[in-house]
Amino acid sequence: IVLVLALGTGVTAEARQEKSQAELRKPFVGSWKLVSITGGENPNWRGTPTGIIIYDAHGNMAAQIQPDQKRPTYTGTPSDEQLAGRARGYTAYFGTFTIDEKAGTVTHHRQGMLDAGAVDFVRKFELTDGGNRIVLTPVGGTGPPTRLTWERVR
């Protein structure tokens, strides 16, 4: 009986040490502006793209990245070709997010998106500069890794 109680207590203590998603999300909560994108092969992210990513305490998120390229302007109702030109290279999606602390990853579970890519985006994360910068690096893929550096908006 003592052994069973000791084992049971150990499991309970271990379970208590695991953080909830609400606790894991805390360092991410806020608005982040894109500082840089390095590496990778996406031609739309050359130069100095701009962007924002927003995480909230309830596990919702949204991200947008505007490529560094001249955007055409027009008046009146745009043609299909003009609309396609405006959207080309623009990244926009929203959904929820979860943190895997052991793997050091954040997964964006996309619910709405501009492109037709994968639904879940898994990223390695590094919180730096006292939690005011976050570097996200996609997991998987065959090309050189892309590092997206974001800075907390204050």
Side-chain angles (χ1 to χ4, degrees), residues 6-78:
L7 289 175
T9 303
V11 170
T12 304
E14 197 174 283
R16 270 189 251 136
Q17 289 178 6
E18 291 183 22
K19 293 180 184 174
S20 69
Q21 279 298 305
E23 187 68 26
L24 292 170
R25 284 193 295 258
K26 285 181 180 179
F28 287 78
V29 171
S31 298
W32 304 78
K33 67 180 178 177
L34 184 64
V35 174
S36 67
I37 300 177
T38 57
E41 299 175 341
N42 188 334
N44 296 310
W45 290 352
R46 291 195 175 104
T48 310
T50 56
I52 188 166
I53 191 166
I54 301 166
Y55 296 103
D56 78 15
H58 304 288
N60 299 297
M61 61 81 53
Q64 295 191 45
I65 300 174
Q66 166 82 28
D68 182 10
Q69 62 190 32
K70 184 168 172 40
R71 307 303 274 177
T73 58
Y74 47 82
T75 58
T77 304

Side-chain angles (χ1 to χ4, degrees), residues 97-108:
F97 72 103
T98 53
I99 310 292
D100 182 335
E101 185 177 43
K102 290 178 185 173
T105 60
V106 56
T107 301
H108 298 164

Side-chain angles (χ1 to χ4, degrees), residues 93 108-123:
Y93 62 90
H108 298 164
H109 307 283
R110 302 188 321 157
Q111 296 170 335
M113 62 206 92
L114 189 59
D115 69 354
V119 172
D120 286 348
F121 279 170
V122 181
R123 308 277 189 256

